[in-house]
Amino acid sequence: MIRPHSSHRLLDRVFRFLFPGLLLLLLNGCSSAAYYSQLVDGQLRLLKAREPIDQVIAAPARDPALRAHLAQAREARTFASVHLHLPDNESYRLYADIGRPFVVWNVFATPEFSLAAQNHCFPIAGCVAYRGYYSQGAARGEAALQRLKGMDVAIGGVEAYSTLGWFNDPILSSMMHWGDERLATLIFHELAHQRFYVKDDTEFNESFATFVEQEGTRQWRASRGLAPDTGLRWRQSEQFIQLILDTRQRLEQLYAQPLPADQMRQRKALEFERLRADYRRLRDTQWAGDKRYDAWVYAPLNNARLLPFGLYTRWVPAFTALFKRVNGDWIAFYAEVEKLGRLPVDDRRAALKTLAESRPSMPPH
């Protein structure tokens, strides 16, 4: 049962006690104050825009397609808690119309001849390889400043994110162009972040959530009497990500060489052209000409655009093996994940590597 909303838990307990001292009084320095101020303002606007999904579904005046979409999402949300043992709270039982295609825009930056991300650390989420902005204009302004410093820069729109249980996260209007199943997978993924999260280990967190998303979707389809997914899109995604990872490895080797800047720049450009050629070969020989990644590949490429790849999938094989080891018991699985999360980072990665090497071929999802 969904508990009374109580004005969304008194605006999530008064912005969770004023969002930790308004992020320690917006940290210090004018630029820090301006940046964290927009984060606080953007999150508060999002919280205020929420309304219970039940009310939207029950309102005849609301868009019928929206109501039907949210009704399917409500079923997936219940499945997440009852069958996948994910947090049972008001997250994704609320809806917010944000009036824009993305909720935030992330800005990634690296030096021209390095794949080392410019990291940013936050009181709640820890250190991540980007800065998020609730305004596209502000994100573009930050990107322009980074380019003036000679950095490689990329901007990525984000349709959804998790506050890791600090607030009751809503389904956003930016997700409404997705199909019902894609929306369900997002709910599983983001609730997994609420279920467990390790500060400063993006690969662990995203791989864990991606596994929960994939296995949860498989079980969700089975519960509705649908045939198993062929896994074609997942295999294509894995192949594409591997192309990116191979390119990153070659670039790292290139940047380690003591070359003049002009020569380094030329060879860097050649690596991106090789990526495009490898992609065309894969697309045309194995994917029957499927062009879903064309727009990304043929846009201008730089180091920063390569950063997000691999973060979501690196340890999925390890979590697949772990889930099999506990015979598909979600409670036991989460307990083992928490044990891994408590290990020192080097020990954790060694354990994940051992698990990944032990797992059988991945079944289709």
Side-chain angles (χ1 to χ4, degrees), residues 293-325:
Y293 295 110
D294 276 26
W296 190 94
V297 168
Y298 292 113
L301 293 174
N302 63 28
N303 297 329
R305 293 198 68 210
L306 307 185
L307 286 179
F309 289 89
L311 293 177
Y312 283 68
T313 58
R314 180 177 180 185
W315 298 121
V316 169
F319 290 114
T320 302
L322 184 59
F323 192 72
K324 183 176 181 181
R325 181 175 294 181

Side-chain angles (χ1 to χ4, degrees), residues 216-285:
T217 301
R218 188 191 68 76
Q219 294 186 16
W220 168 239
R221 289 181 63 87
S223 74
R224 299 163 68 209
L226 299 176
D229 189 273
T230 64
L232 176 62
R233 293 181 71 90
W234 170 250
R235 287 193 296 275
Q236 289 182 346
S237 174
E238 279 193 318
Q239 289 175 319
F240 183 69
I241 290 170
Q242 191 58 53
L243 284 182
I244 305 299
L245 298 182
D246 290 345
T247 302
R248 284 203 326 212
Q249 184 176 33
R250 292 195 302 270
L251 285 170
E252 286 173 346
Q253 293 170 351
L254 171 63
Y255 298 150
Q257 298 179 34
L259 298 176
D262 286 346
Q263 187 177 351
M264 186 77 78
R265 213 166 276 127
Q266 290 172 0
R267 292 186 58 179
K268 175 182 175 181
L270 288 174
E271 287 298 342
F272 285 127
E273 284 308 310
R274 177 176 173 179
L275 168 60
R276 291 187 174 109
D278 290 345
Y279 165 73
R280 285 192 296 270
R281 191 176 306 109
L282 178 65
R283 180 196 66 191
D284 296 339
T285 62

Side-chain angles (χ1 to χ4, degrees), residues 84-302:
L84 308 182
H85 299 278
L86 292 167
D88 188 11
N89 52 33
E90 289 185 30
S91 287
Y92 310 108
R93 289 179 169 129
L94 304 166
Y95 172 72
D97 188 339
I98 59 175
R100 56 185 188 269
F102 300 107
V103 60
V104 294
W105 287 263
N106 287 339
V107 179
F108 299 85
T110 72
E112 183 182 9
F113 302 130
S114 172
L115 287 163
Q118 188 177 74
N119 283 335
H120 304 276
C121 298
F122 302 93
I124 296 173
C127 297
V128 293
Y130 54 82
R131 260 191 162 194
Y133 292 85
Y134 283 90
S135 159
Q136 186 177 23
R140 287 174 172 170
E142 172 65 16
L145 289 174
Q146 293 299 329
R147 289 190 186 100
L148 287 174
K149 298 176 183 177
M151 304 290 278
D152 276 14
V153 183
I155 300 176
V158 178
E159 295 160 315
Y161 68 85
S162 171
T163 60
L164 309 179
W166 275 70
F167 309 108
N168 288 311
D169 298 314
I171 292 174
L172 303 172
S173 55
S174 54
M175 309 175 196
M176 287 298 102
H177 65 281
W178 297 345
D180 289 333
E181 185 167 301
R182 178 69 187 94
L183 185 54
T185 67
L186 179 280
I187 290 170
F188 303 155
H189 185 104
E190 299 301 342
L191 285 173
H193 285 313
Q194 291 191 18
R195 181 64 179 76
F196 190 67
Y197 185 88
V198 177
K199 208 168 184 179
D200 302 334
D201 195 338
T202 302
E203 288 181 337
F204 179 92
N205 295 322
E206 294 300 347
S207 296
F208 163 64
T210 296
F211 170 78
V212 174
E213 168 191 330
Q214 292 174 2
E215 178 60 26
T217 301
R218 188 191 68 76
Q219 294 186 16
W220 168 239
R221 289 181 63 87
S223 74
R224 299 163 68 209
L226 299 176
D229 189 273
T230 64
L232 176 62
R233 293 181 71 90
W234 170 250
R235 287 193 296 275
Q236 289 182 346
S237 174
E238 279 193 318
Q239 289 175 319
F240 183 69
I241 290 170
Q242 191 58 53
L243 284 182
I244 305 299
L245 298 182
D246 290 345
T247 302
R248 284 203 326 212
Q249 184 176 33
R250 292 195 302 270
L251 285 170
E252 286 173 346
Q253 293 170 351
L254 171 63
Y255 298 150
Q257 298 179 34
L259 298 176
D262 286 346
Q263 187 177 351
M264 186 77 78
R265 213 166 276 127
Q266 290 172 0
R267 292 186 58 179
K268 175 182 175 181
L270 288 174
E271 287 298 342
F272 285 127
E273 284 308 310
R274 177 176 173 179
L275 168 60
R276 291 187 174 109
D278 290 345
Y279 165 73
R280 285 192 296 270
R281 191 176 306 109
L282 178 65
R283 180 196 66 191
D284 296 339
T285 62
Q286 297 187 40
W287 296 358
D290 189 327
K291 297 182 178 181
R292 77 184 60 178
Y293 295 110
D294 276 26
W296 190 94
V297 168
Y298 292 113
L301 293 174
N302 63 28

